[in-house]
Amino acid sequence: MFTMAIPERSAAQVVVALSGHSKEDADAVFGVLHACYPSGPATDAQPREEAEGHPTVWSATFEVSGARQELAPTPLGAPLTADLQGGPREVEQLRDVLATAFAVRDEGRAAGDQERELHLRLESR
């Protein structure tokens, strides 16, 4: 029997996956989140250009703890899809932060005992 070791994720961590047409828009969303929350080394890289003809997803993990700040509206060139996954309280807190900078529309939810997933559409306010 083969088992794979999967690294533990802190309860305060939320994984954010963005899909859209522009790395600049993804960068704008991650910039808003970086302003509020520290993140691990995997999220320090800038989003890369998308491969032509293929869907692109940019992802980062954020440590959602401590006080957050109110943010000014941030423009996007086009709508983005955001998928958030983590602890229920942390996912909702990160969603609220996004709502201070963008128009956020809930497009789906899945909830478990200890984890929540949100599917959101982000647009300029």
Side-chain angles (χ1 to χ4, degrees):
M1 181 165 98
F2 176 76
T3 59
M4 183 187 311
I6 299 173
E8 285 285 320
R9 194 172 75 212
S10 161
Q13 289 182 337
V14 175
V15 176
V16 178
L18 302 174
S19 58
H21 298 288
S22 162
K23 88 174 190 70
E24 289 78 16
D25 288 338
D27 204 25
V29 174
F30 286 143
V32 164
L33 295 175
H34 280 289
C36 290
Y37 303 116
S39 57
T43 63
D44 291 338
Q46 296 294 315
R48 296 183 185 181
E49 287 292 340
E50 56 274 8
E52 192 171 319
H54 298 282
T56 302
V57 176
W58 299 277
S59 65
T61 302
F62 292 90
E63 188 76 25
V64 180
S65 58
R68 62 177 177 85
Q69 58 186 351
E70 290 294 316
L71 301 166
T74 302
L76 294 174
L80 284 171
T81 298
D83 292 302
L84 314 180
Q85 181 180 13
R89 186 174 351 169
E90 292 77 16
V91 165
E92 292 299 330
Q93 183 179 347
L94 196 137
R95 185 217 175 278
D96 291 346
V97 165
L98 289 171
T100 66
F102 308 101
V104 175
R105 184 173 62 195
D106 289 359
E107 294 195 332
R109 307 180 160 252
D113 288 346
Q114 299 179 21
E115 193 163 272
R116 176 166 295 157
E117 291 180 37
L118 290 181
H119 183 72
L120 306 171
R121 180 176 175 91
L122 307 178
E123 299 178 358
S124 295
R125 292 180 118 204

